[in-house]
Amino acid sequence: MKGLGVSLLVALLLVLLAIEDTVSKKMTIEEAKKTIKNLRKVCSKKNDTPKELLDGQFRGEFPQDERLMCYMKCIMIATKAMKNDVILWDFFVKNARMILLEEYIPRVESVVETCKKEVTSTEGCEVAWQFGKCIYENDKELYLAP
């Protein structure tokens, strides 16, 4: 019976170590992009966003098309970076600190400070679009939208 207790304790310790290792693992930008990749299908269907508009983002093409703008809002809501048509700036930075490698954090903070001034709309889809466009224009590597 004593051996069983020791075995359970060792198993619990191994599980806790595995959880801690998983929690503390920080990601590169590419890994972060992969984690939200599936949102593209969900949000593009929800907003009937054509592939051409989605692909254009990665070439710096951000037309003021409602479908693209609302697609971007969908991504931000799904990642909890936006609520009630407002960008959660502090959450965005806090989340970046938790998931991204330390080397990216100063860049994220800089882009957020810049974009806080450039996002002027109060309409949700346009807010998200202005933010996404601003990120791309200031540090395109940090543009994570799928």
Side-chain angles (χ1 to χ4, degrees), residues 131-143:
F131 184 53
K133 184 177 177 196
C134 180
I135 291 172
Y136 187 90
E137 289 172 349
N138 286 280
D139 191 336
K140 61 180 94 172
E141 186 185 7
L142 295 180
Y143 186 71

Side-chain angles (χ1 to χ4, degrees), residues 36-128:
I36 64 170
K37 182 180 174 185
N38 290 335
L39 292 177
R40 178 175 173 135
K41 182 184 271 187
V42 172
C43 289
S44 65
K45 280 186 180 179
K46 183 177 180 180
N47 296 289
D48 195 29
T49 314
K51 185 179 182 326
E52 303 78 48
L53 282 177
L54 297 174
D55 292 345
Q57 303 171 87
F58 307 105
R59 295 186 300 271
E61 299 167 10
F62 292 90
Q64 267 188 290
D65 185 300
E66 194 74 19
R67 297 168 298 176
L68 177 62
M69 291 166 42
C70 291
Y71 165 82
M72 295 168 86
K73 176 183 175 183
C74 177
I75 298 293
M76 291 191 65
I77 288 171
T79 58
K80 307 221 184 304
M82 183 179 214
K83 184 177 180 181
N84 299 326
D85 292 348
V86 175
I87 296 172
L88 304 175
W89 302 104
D90 293 337
F91 174 81
F92 191 86
V93 172
K94 181 181 175 186
N95 201 36
R97 285 188 188 120
M98 286 182 7
I99 66 168
L100 294 176
L101 292 171
E102 193 61 37
E103 65 193 67
Y104 299 111
I105 303 310
R107 290 169 53 194
V108 169
E109 291 171 339
S110 175
V111 164
V112 165
E113 285 307 309
T114 298
C115 293
K116 270 185 186 181
K117 299 171 198 147
E118 292 186 24
V119 174
T120 57
S121 180
T122 56
E123 192 282 313
C125 294
E126 190 170 2
V127 168

